[in-house]
Each structure stands twice: as structure tokens, then as C-alpha cells.
Amino acid sequence: MNRFILLILMLITLNACKNEVTQKEETAKVVAVTTTNKSDYYQEAYRPQFHFSPAANWMNDPNGMVFFDDEYHLFYQYYPDSTVWGPMHWGHAVSKDMVSWEHLPIALYPDELGYIFSGSAVVDWNNTSGFGKDGQPPLIAIFTHHEPKGAADENINDYQYQSIAYSNDKGRTWTKYEGNPVVPNINKIKDFRDPKVVWNEDSKQWVMVFAAYDHLKFYGSPNLKDWTHLSDWGHQYGAHGGVWECPELYPTTVEGTGEKKWGLIVSLNPGSPNSGSGTQYFVGDFDGKNFKLDPQFAKDVPKGKGLWLDYGRDNYAGVTFSDIPKEDGRRLFMGWMSNWDYAQVVPTEKWRSAATIPRSMILKKTKDGYRVYSQPIKELEKLRGKSANITGTSLTGTLEISKNKGINTTLSEVILTAENHTANSKFGVAITNSKGEIYRIGYDAAKNQYFSDRTKAGKSAFSEKFAASIHPAPRLSTDKTIKLHVFFDAASAELFADDGATVMTDIFFPTEDFNQLSLFSEGGEVQVKGKIYELNDVW
Ligand code: FRU
């Protein structure tokens, strides 16, 4: 969120800061909401059916994603008193598979040091912090404290700083460290937030990265409590159309070769390719102190130009799970499926926002250099129901699927390969309803671009920024065969093209369910084959 919006929101919500008594009331209220009969929220217009969304009220960034003791934890920026942004708490949910989630009571409340902004969580396996109990490793949350009075006062700049909290009961209850903040804002930088921590096996210390307006700061610590500044990075590289937020530094290996690299994720708002909030990435090396871009990669991301994890408009502030077991080995990512351009005015009533489906991030060495591919996690396959095969069809015009194949496609997964397309064909998947509203996603051969078109997909008057144009995305792959893999939920589409080389996530708000799915090709012809699955909901 940019500073101006933050300031306005802060002014509006300043008076709403909670004292301890009302915090307890909130806990009671949230528990009540989470035990509401599932069918109540199953019915709501636009309620995601297989994406994580809060039972009620406002959510933004995913926070503190960590795997511990057979549970995936998702914490998230949460305001339990309204469907717009306000004094931030960490909401909490757990899952066995990242597909079905159980809502838990709020994990972290605002306190005298401020609201609880975005951050991360780690398992402190060796009890470096000393917060472990009975031989069990503690969970440590590392987050930004955002002090609202300071934020509202233009003479005060050091109102954001990094703090920690620990849990000895699998994240159910948390104690804030009495020595907070652990990284004070001594240079008084206004945007100084969103710490993500990783254990660096090579330098045998914890490494924290967070965003400082237009660059990143790296800190190191032996115990998660005492932090030393290591380096700064980012002024010279990547997109800078807005403020940098929610970074992550993570170790990774190149698929197939095992070569070691470090990935960097940096969210940016505004300044994304299709406007508003978006997430770019970088690939390089980290020597325990400094991050250095891969030389080839550096050429592709001079200052002002980014490479993006997702070219849609609705994947922001995403980072990856900490402590995924070695045997699993995946780098698992989730983002916030919205955009600060309109997040607070989208037409959902009881709650606002959802998370993207979890994605596995794979580092490949391509002829263009290192590239991150994102693929839907395999756990989602368990949602598959009835399916329809498309066996080598020559497509021109429209091929109705739901009607002809007798499947219910309101929630669906489409896997298509397309070959031998004519030079000017534009083809893909369309979903429609009886109101004539339509959402289309596909490939435009003349432009060598993917596109997502929500310009006629229902409600958009809530924000002139929502459906102003069709969203293009470059095709990065040069394979002859074009591969489309799309997930449709009640109010979103996620495209993983060419095995995840180009990704697009967009939300939409039809006035009636999009219950008809068709394939289309206009301006030319294409041979398609593949499979379309009905998906079950997770309730
Ligand atoms: C990103 C962000 C973070 C901040 C949080 C506040 O969406 O602006 O930088 O910590 O949201 O809710």
C-alpha cells in the first residue's frame, strides 16, 4: 500500500485502536464466527469455493506461512471489525494439505507498539532464541509493528520497526518478546517493514530481509533477538513504480542440475505490469552478507524493468512457506488475490479478499537465463470430479463444453494443449452466464501474448481501475505447443501457461454464476486437445 493510502486509512482508523478488554471480546467474536455453520458462507455470492478466505471481515497479505508438526500455518493481515483495512491483527488458519483450511482464533493483536503488519514465521529447531519449552522448538513470528499515532504525524518517520513473538503450543497462543522491537528504525525510514526470515546454513545464522521504501535491507542474527545490519540491495534494479513491500530471500536449486541459487521476491505497489500491485522476482547469489544478481538476470532487470511472478492483477504480497520438510523439497507460495487499486471496494459483503491457490515455484535455467516457473500444487488434484476429454479438435469459433459434455463447470480446471495455430488466431477458454457476461483467458498469436479479459465479466462500477482494459502477459516459452492450465473458482481465474512460465491471476464479479464454459478460436484455427474437470468445493 502506498504511503498516502496508509496515512488516510490510519487517520480513519486511529480511534479504533483496541485496549486489552476489547481484544478479549474480539477473540470471543471471532471464535463465534469461525464456528458458524459452514453452509452459511458456502452460499454467499463470490465466496471462493477452493481458495482460502476469512470467514468474515477484512484480509490482506498472507503472513507467517510455516509448516510445523504436520500442519501448514497461514497467518494473514486481518481487521476483525470491518470489511475494509484497519488496525492490523494476524488472523490464523491451519491446514493438512493447503487446500482445506480450519479457521483459528486471532494470533496477534495490536499493542502499545502498534498494529501488527506483515511478517514471517520460522521453526527455531535448535532453540537459538531460548524460547523453546520442554525440549520442543518454539515457533517464532517476526513482524512489523506499525505505530499509528506516529504514522499520522508528519513529523514522525520512525513508526515502523521489526518485532518478534513466540509460541510453544503450535501457534495457538503467542507471547510478544519483552525486548521488542528487535530491529528499531534508527535511520527513521517511513516505509520500513515486512520482515521475512530464513536460516542460512552456510553462514549458520538467521537472515532477515525487509523492505525500506525503494530497496531491501538484510540483517543477520544468531538468535532471532539480536540483529546486525548486513547490507542493502535493490536501488539499481527492477521495477520501482511504487513502494517495495513484502520481500523474501530464499535458497533454491535449479531444476534438473541441483545448482544452488538464491531467489528474491519483491512486491511493488503501484507499478505492476497491468497496473497497481504486483510481485517481481530476482535470481542471484547470497554470500551470507550481500545479494548479488546473476549477471545475465541483471541485464533483464535494469532499474525500471521487472520480471514478474504473475502478470494478472490479483496476486500480491505473496511469499513462501518456511520449514517445508527436505523430503518434500518444494518452494510453496501463496499470494493475496487482490490489488490495492480496488481491494477495499470489491462487491463482497461479509468478507473481503482471498488467497491465491498455493503454487510450487521451480527455478529453471532457460535459454534466456534463470526463470521462476509457478505450478499449482498437486494436492489440488483431489478436488477433481467428473471430466470431459477434448480429443484432437480443430477449433474455429466456439465449442460449448458444459452443455455438450454434460459437466458442471462453475468450478473447473482446464488443461489444454494447442498446436498448429494459424498466424492471427486468438484462442482460449471463455466462461459465461445467461446475463451475457463473459470472462475470457487465452493466447493471442499475432501478439505472442496471453491475455485475461474481464472487461465484460459483470460488476466493475465499484472502481474505474477494475476493468479498464484487457490484461496482456508476454509468452516466455518458445515451444511450438501452447499449454494452458486454468483454474476457475466462483470469482477468479488462475492461468499457468507453458508449465508455469507465464502466470496470470485475475478476479471477477459476475451478477450470476459463470456456469457455461466454452473453448473459442477467433481470427483463425487451432488444434486443441486436453481435459476439463469439474472441481469440488472444499467445504
Ligand atoms: C502490503 C502491505 C504491507 C504491510 C501490510 C499492511 O499489502 O502494505 O507492506 O505490512 O500490507 O496491512
Side-chain angles (χ1 to χ4, degrees), residues 56-360:
N57 293 312
W58 171 264
M59 172 178 93
N60 52 291
D61 317 354
N63 294 149
M65 290 187 288
V66 63
F67 181 80
F68 182 55
D69 212 2
D70 287 332
E71 285 178 331
Y72 296 91
H73 290 263
L74 170 64
F75 301 89
Y76 52 90
Q77 288 289 279
Y78 188 47
Y79 183 36
D81 282 352
S82 173
T83 51
V84 293
W85 192 90
M88 284 289 111
H89 302 53
W90 274 25
H92 188 197
V94 288
S95 171
K96 293 279 180 202
D97 58 5
M98 295 172 283
V99 179
S100 309
W101 293 92
E102 179 192 345
H103 293 291
L104 293 180
I106 288 173
L108 294 171
Y109 285 85
D111 56 38
E112 65 285 356
L113 289 176
Y115 302 166
I116 314 298
F117 269 23
S118 284
S120 51
V122 294
V123 185
D124 183 11
W125 292 106
N126 295 320
N127 196 23
T128 61
S129 62
F131 293 136
K133 214 172 116 191
D134 305 330
Q136 294 301 310
L139 281 178
I140 311 288
I142 309 98
F143 56 89
T144 299
H145 258 127
H146 169 97
E147 204 289 300
K149 290 200 192 80
D153 182 339
E154 56 178 43
N155 298 313
I156 297 178
N157 291 337
D158 54 350
Y159 51 83
Q160 293 184 343
Y161 25 80
Q162 322 317 330
S163 291
I164 62 174
Y166 61 91
S167 169
N168 300 115
D169 59 359
K170 302 206 289 175
R172 270 50 179 189
T173 60
W174 291 84
T175 306
K176 292 186 188 120
Y177 175 47
E178 60 198 15
N180 281 340
V182 292
V183 182
N185 192 341
I186 44 175
N187 291 324
K188 301 189 192 304
I189 300 175
K190 267 177 179 273
D191 297 283
F192 193 77
R193 58 175 178 269
D194 308 337
K196 176 87 173 136
V197 169
V198 65
W199 174 255
N200 182 12
E201 196 50 43
D202 298 332
S203 63
K204 297 269 184 295
Q205 70 169 345
W206 298 101
V207 175
M208 176 194 292
V209 59
F210 61 88
Y213 183 54
D214 61 351
H215 67 281
L216 306 180
K217 294 204 174 283
F218 294 103
Y219 278 69
S221 170
N223 58 11
L224 295 157
K225 296 185 284 202
D226 304 304
W227 293 92
T228 318
H229 180 234
L230 298 172
S231 61
D232 289 354
W233 186 85
H235 292 105
Q236 292 92 347
Y237 294 107
H240 279 273
V243 64
W244 281 20
E245 298 182 315
C246 299
E248 174 172 10
L249 172 74
Y250 64 93
T252 180
T253 51
V254 178
E255 189 188 54
T257 71
E259 183 193 4
K260 288 192 172 155
K261 287 278 148 199
W262 287 79
L264 253 191
I265 297 173
V266 180
S267 279
L268 171 72
N269 181 59
S272 82
N274 281 304
S275 150
S277 322
T279 304
Q280 55 187 326
Y281 73 90
F282 303 91
V283 180
D285 297 298
F286 184 69
D287 64 6
K289 214 172 163 212
N290 294 289
F291 178 79
K292 197 162 179 278
L293 267 186
D294 164 72
Q296 168 69 40
F297 202 95
K299 287 191 196 135
D300 295 333
V301 292
K303 188 163 187 172
K305 195 169 171 286
L307 276 167
W308 303 87
L309 278 185
D310 194 313
Y311 285 83
R313 293 192 66 192
D314 297 298
N315 179 359
Y316 191 59
V319 286
T320 74
F321 280 88
S322 184
D323 295 281
I324 296 298
K326 274 213 176 66
E327 316 82 81
D328 179 321
R330 288 177 297 173
R331 183 53 60 183
L332 298 166
F333 171 100
M334 282 170 85
W336 173 42
M337 199 158 60
S338 198
N339 188 312
W340 282 117
D341 270 357
Y342 42 72
Q344 306 198 77
V345 292
V346 295
T348 56
E349 275 170 18
K350 197 163 147 192
W351 85 101
R352 277 217 177 87
S353 305
T356 66
I357 54 171
R359 296 136 189 229
S360 174

Side-chain angles (χ1 to χ4, degrees), residues 11-81:
L11 288 171
I12 295 169
T13 54
L14 198 58
N15 292 332
C17 201
K18 298 284 165 280
N19 62 31
E20 218 181 308
V21 179
T22 48
Q23 284 182 13
K24 291 211 181 88
E25 285 164 6
E26 275 174 2
T27 314
K29 196 165 32 172
V30 171
V31 173
V33 168
T34 57
T35 54
T36 301
N37 189 337
K38 283 179 178 175
S39 61
D40 288 351
Y41 57 84
Y42 174 84
Q43 311 278 339
E44 300 154 352
Y46 311 126
R47 174 64 82 174
Q49 300 294 305
F50 57 88
H51 287 79
F52 177 78
S53 58
N57 293 312
W58 171 264
M59 172 178 93
N60 52 291
D61 317 354
N63 294 149
M65 290 187 288
V66 63
F67 181 80
F68 182 55
D69 212 2
D70 287 332
E71 285 178 331
Y72 296 91
H73 290 263
L74 170 64
F75 301 89
Y76 52 90
Q77 288 289 279
Y78 188 47
Y79 183 36
D81 282 352

